[in-house]
Structures are given as C-alpha cells and as structure tokens.
Amino acid sequence: MKNKVALITGITGQDGSYLAELLLEKGYIVHGIKRRSSLFNTDRIDHLYQDPHDPDQRLKLHYGDLTDSMNLTRIIQEAQPDEIYNLGAMSHVAVSFDTPEYVGNVDGLGTLRILEAVRILGLEKKTRIYQASTSELYGGMPENKNERGFYDESSPFYPRSPYGVAKIYGFWITKNYREAYDMFACNGILFNHESPRRGETFVTRKITRAVAKIALGLQEKVYLGNLEAKRDWGHAKDYVRMMWMILQAEKPEDWVIATGVTTTVRDFVRMAFEVVGIQLEFKGEGVDEKAYVKACSNKDYQVEIGKEVLSIDPSYFRPTEVDLLIGDPTKAKEQLGWVPEHDLRDLVQDMMEGDVQLMKKDVDLLKAGHEILKQAE
Ligand code: NAP
Ligand code: GDD
C-alpha cells in the first residue's frame, strides 16, 4: 500500500515535532517546512532526521515561510499531500502585542495562503487540512461559558490579543473554505498543552526550567507576571494524537480539545517545586507577592528554608489578559473516542524530570571544568 503523505508547517515547534514522530510511526511520508535561521533551529526534530542524504528518509524538510505564497504553493505542489497540518505561527501571546502586523500576516493570512494554494493546485478534493486554532479565541469572557461552566464548540469568541485576533481570521477562513469549496478543512480549538519540548518563554516551561535550576543551586529566584491566571493545561502528546484523529473523521468539523480542569499559575509553581521536594509559602498581594521555601527534602541540593524564590515583575503583565480558560472536550471524546493519557500531575512530573536532567548536564559540565582547572594548576 502507498504511504500517506503529510505536510506540517511549524514542524520545528513543540507540536510539529510530536506530530512528525506520530505520523512517521504510522508510516507516513512527512514533509515539513522550516524557516531559514542564522542558527540551527531543528533541535526538536534532529532525532527524526538522521541522514538527509538517504533517499528512503521519510522525513523531508523544505525551507519556507507562511508569509510567502509562492514558496507555499511550490512546496504543496511538490509534496502533493493527503493531509496538511498548519501548525506554523508566531504563537506567543505576549509577543503578539509587540509584533501585531507580523502576527496578522503569519497566523491570519498564512492560513489563507495554505487554503488558497490547495485550491489553486486543484487539490481541494484530495488534501485534508488541519488548522491549529486556539482557546485564545474565547478570551476568557465569563459570560460566554456554557451552562456547565466550560467553553465548547458553540461558545462565542472574544479574542483579547493580536494573536487571538489573527487566529480568529484563521478559524473563519478555514470554515469559509470548507463551506465555499467543499474542502475537508477543520479547526482544532486546542486549549494550552505543554511538554518537556515547550518553548522556554511560555509560563509552564519558564517555571520548570527555573525550579530545576533553583533546586540545583544554579539560579536564585524566578520572576513571573500574573499568578492568578488560570489555564486548562494538557500534554502535547495527547493533543497531536487528536490532530490526526480530526483528519481521519468522517466529516470535516471543528473540535475543542481540553482537559476540563483549570489551575492557577501559582498552583503550577507549587506543583513544580513539590516534584523536587520543596514546599513553598506565598506571602503578600498583587505585585508584592513573593514565594519562600517552607520545607526542603531535596537530596541533590538543600535550598535554605525561608529563601525567597519567586517575585512578581509587572513587565510580564499583558495589556489585556485572558483570566481563565477551561474547555469541554465532550464532543471529541464521544465522537472520535479521544482519551487523554496524561493529567496535570503527570505533565508537571514529565516537564520537571526533563529540566532537572537538562540542568544537571550544566552542573556536570561545571564540575568537569573545575576538574580541568584544578589539574592545570
Ligand atoms: P511553537 O512551539 O511556537 O511552534 C511554532 C512553529 O511555527 C515553529 O516551528 C516556528 O518555527 C513556526 N513558525 C513561526 N513563524 C513562522 C513563519 N512565519 N512561517 C513558517 N513557520 C513559522 O508552537 P506550538 O506550541 O507547537 O503550537 C503549534 C500551533 O498550535 C501554533 O499555531 C499555535 O499557535 C497553536 N496552538 C498552540 C497551543 C499550545 O498550547 N501549545 C494551543 C492552541 C493552539 P521556528 O522554530 O523557526 O520558530
Ligand atoms: N509567558 C508568561 N511568562 N506567562 C506568564 C508569566 C510569565 O512570566 N507570568 C504569568 N503568566 C501568565 C500569562 O499572563 C497567562 O495568563 C498565562 O501565564 C499563560 O501564559 P503562556 O504560557 O504564555 O500561554 P498563553 O495561555 O498566553 O498562550 C498559550 O496557549 C494558547 C492556548 O490557550 C500559547 O501556546 C498560545 O499559542 C496558545 O494559543
């Protein structure tokens, strides 16, 4: 049987890397678009791409950019994909306030460029399209939750950032092409999902990296913004599985993917410190809130009791904030049989283990450096 062919934009990102792994496991030929960068930017997929000269290599990378229609059209023409996963985006909400025009171009118009390329090439009956939509579309407006207190596929949108506004264009243009041209084009409205591969400036990874460093004595404290914000955090591995399931469904539709549980940033911090045996006490309010070490049973490093390990830096506050997100994945569970394998505790454990291991490498390097210096003396 012929291998199915997929094209992933954003293959070098968190989700792109897990999805590429999943599709390769399923026997797909996977084309991915990577951006030209002055430094290597393929860390997350290097383990999948060991010999680029091997003609049987099923992962094929192309240079490209979502702002370049001609480039996208040429890659789609070459790849002739059965499935396109449009995951490429400037995905950082806070940064979108600094680069609103660029975000509109990539996250909004980029989606149109993919859809239109498929149409121009006459592939609209062959190629199924997944659009990486987001819970940021809801904007956390309390009055828009359903009667059970969740956001679902029928909840109204009210985006609260240039990122959310650009993604709402992506959402509607995907739906419009589905209706106008009978294309199999779907939105996955995904709530926050994280992993050890999460970008370092998203709050969960910023926390797990900092906690690992603090526990090993490599960092004094971490500065965060709004600790009151609540997010519905799942594991990226569970969410990319659902992306694939969405394109295997009978009909093209839009789907909410979430855990149905919401947690404050403050509690995520608490949970991350607990993994390395450190109990925290939070004191003070608003910008004066701080966290101190209350107890420490960490065998690798004894953090001093009473040590201040967290402060607020208001520069991390956003001009408009999404206060609370919580999603209702009933449709995905009932109609597609999606069962997430990880809960928040697993996720925090997984991320902490990854970062402790990473930071220990730095400690080992430091020790080796000291050894070499000592021998040279
Ligand atoms: P990510 O780690 O930030 O990855 C984004 C990917 O997009 C990277 O490969 C990045 O390339 C690429 N990219 C950025 N600008 C591009 C451009 N102009 N042209 C082509 N590619 C470009 O994001 P993620 O967490 O994997 O998320 C994947 C998608 O899901 C994004 O569209 C995001 O908005 C959406 N989403 C994410 C979540 C979540 O919680 N993770 C939730 C809902 C929706 P570089 O590696 O070169 O930067
Ligand atoms: N990044 C960051 N850094 N966020 C902080 C910090 C900090 O120092 N301190 C508090 N926060 C708060 C933010 O204000 C926000 O309320 C929450 O932590 C989560 O922030 P992020 O991790 O940056 O994610 P996000 O929810 O804004 O956006 C992510 O999820 C969306 C889905 O809901 C991104 O992955 C988006 O691409 C995605 O669409």
Side-chain angles (χ1 to χ4, degrees):
M1 215 173 74
K2 234 178 113 221
N3 301 73
K4 270 192 165 181
V5 178
L7 170 66
I8 305 177
T9 72
I11 194 166
T12 57
Q14 172 189 252
D15 291 4
S17 67
Y18 284 120
L19 180 65
E21 251 166 46
L22 180 82
L23 296 179
L24 288 169
E25 266 167 39
K26 289 185 182 296
Y28 279 65
I29 293 170
V30 176
H31 293 259
I33 298 185
K34 65 169 179 175
R35 296 194 289 174
R36 196 271 157 182
S37 154
S38 63
L39 290 170
F40 287 126
N41 61 355
T42 52
D43 281 12
R44 292 183 177 110
I45 51 169
D46 282 343
H47 62 293
L48 302 173
Y49 194 62
Q50 272 146 12
D51 182 2
H53 311 291
D54 176 359
D56 294 331
Q57 163 83 253
R58 280 190 288 116
L59 176 59
K60 297 168 194 300
L61 295 182
H62 307 256
Y63 281 111
D65 199 292
L66 280 160
T67 57
D68 185 336
S69 310
M70 280 191 274
N71 158 271
L72 293 172
T73 309
R74 184 179 48 73
I75 294 170
I76 295 172
Q77 185 175 32
E78 265 174 43
Q80 297 281 311
D82 299 298
E83 295 168 11
I84 297 179
Y85 297 85
N86 184 33
L87 311 186
M90 201 310 285
S91 71
H92 203 286
V93 173
V95 175
S96 78
F97 289 96
D98 296 327
T99 59
E101 181 185 348
Y102 176 70
V103 171
N105 195 3
V106 175
D107 298 17
L109 287 178
T111 313
L112 171 69
R113 292 186 183 105
I114 295 278
L115 291 159
E116 192 55 12
V118 167
R119 205 169 75 85
I120 288 170
L121 293 168
L123 295 172
E124 62 269 51
K125 292 286 165 280
K126 168 183 169 76
T127 306
R128 296 184 169 200
I129 300 172
Y130 172 88
Q131 165 59 13
S133 196
T134 163
S135 50
E136 277 289 305
L137 300 193
Y138 299 118
M141 306 313 275
E143 63 276 21
N144 290 341
K145 287 189 208 149
N146 66 19
E147 63 291 347
R148 295 174 49 241
F150 297 90
Y151 298 101
D152 64 21
E153 289 82 0
S154 322
S155 307
F157 297 141
Y158 196 116
R160 300 258 295 160
S161 63
Y163 168 80
V165 173
K167 282 282 185 177
I168 212 167
Y169 178 86
F171 176 92
W172 282 110
I173 200 69
T174 300
K175 199 170 163 83
N176 178 250
Y177 269 55
R178 175 164 87 220
E179 291 168 0
Y181 307 116
D182 200 20
M183 287 167 69
F184 199 108
C186 311
N187 290 289
I189 308 172
L190 270 53
F191 284 64
N192 298 51
H193 46 280
E194 322 289 314
S195 73
R197 295 187 198 166
R198 184 58 144 153
E200 289 89 348
T201 59
F202 295 97
V203 78
T204 55
R205 187 75 199 289
K206 182 173 168 184
I207 294 167
T208 57
R209 275 173 62 87
V211 174
K213 282 187 160 187
I214 292 169
L216 292 166
L218 299 171
Q219 182 172 325
E220 290 298 309
K221 63 191 279 191
V222 59
Y223 289 90
L224 294 175
N226 180 8
L227 300 183
E228 289 292 331
K230 290 180 122 181
R231 288 292 182 275
D232 179 331
W233 280 300
H235 199 299
K237 278 189 180 171
D238 283 329
Y239 288 50
V240 300
R241 198 157 32 83
M242 188 56 201
M243 293 176 186
W244 175 78
M245 290 169 97
I246 286 173
L247 290 196
Q248 316 312 309
E250 262 173 45
K251 286 188 294 173
E253 289 183 53
D254 304 322
W255 306 83
V256 162
I257 313 301
T259 68
V261 177
T262 194
T263 308
T264 59
V265 171
R266 187 183 298 100
D267 281 340
F268 191 99
V269 173
R270 250 192 259 274
M271 290 169 77
F273 272 99
E274 276 167 16
V275 174
V276 285
I278 298 174
Q279 259 78 52
L280 293 186
E281 183 171 26
F282 286 82
K283 289 188 192 160
E285 274 178 31
V287 293
D288 297 322
E289 184 168 0
K290 292 181 190 307
Y292 303 89
V293 174
K294 195 171 147 197
C296 175
S297 58
N298 182 349
K299 60 177 172 25
D300 284 321
Y301 185 81
Q302 276 300 311
V303 185
E304 185 194 325
I305 307 300
K307 184 182 167 73
E308 183 189 308
V309 288
L310 180 149
S311 287
I312 304 297
D313 180 344
S315 69
Y316 295 120
F317 293 163
R318 296 171 180 185
T320 40
E321 173 65 295
V322 172
D323 296 321
L324 185 153
L325 290 173
I326 183 164
D328 180 354
T330 306
K331 178 180 168 191
K333 285 187 170 175
E334 287 184 354
Q335 295 186 29
L336 295 181
W338 178 65
V339 185
E341 287 170 3
H342 304 271
D343 63 10
L344 182 59
R345 227 157 252 293
D346 280 354
L347 172 69
V348 178
Q349 183 76 32
D350 195 18
M351 293 181 74
M352 279 304 303
E353 277 171 14
D355 278 328
V356 167
Q357 220 179 7
L358 191 69
M359 302 312 165
K360 272 188 174 162
K361 276 193 201 144
D362 286 356
V363 176
D364 292 344
L365 277 177
L366 274 176
K367 279 189 190 150
H370 283 305
E371 248 346 279
I372 291 169
L373 280 177
K374 253 205 263 167
Q375 280 167 13
E377 272 168 14

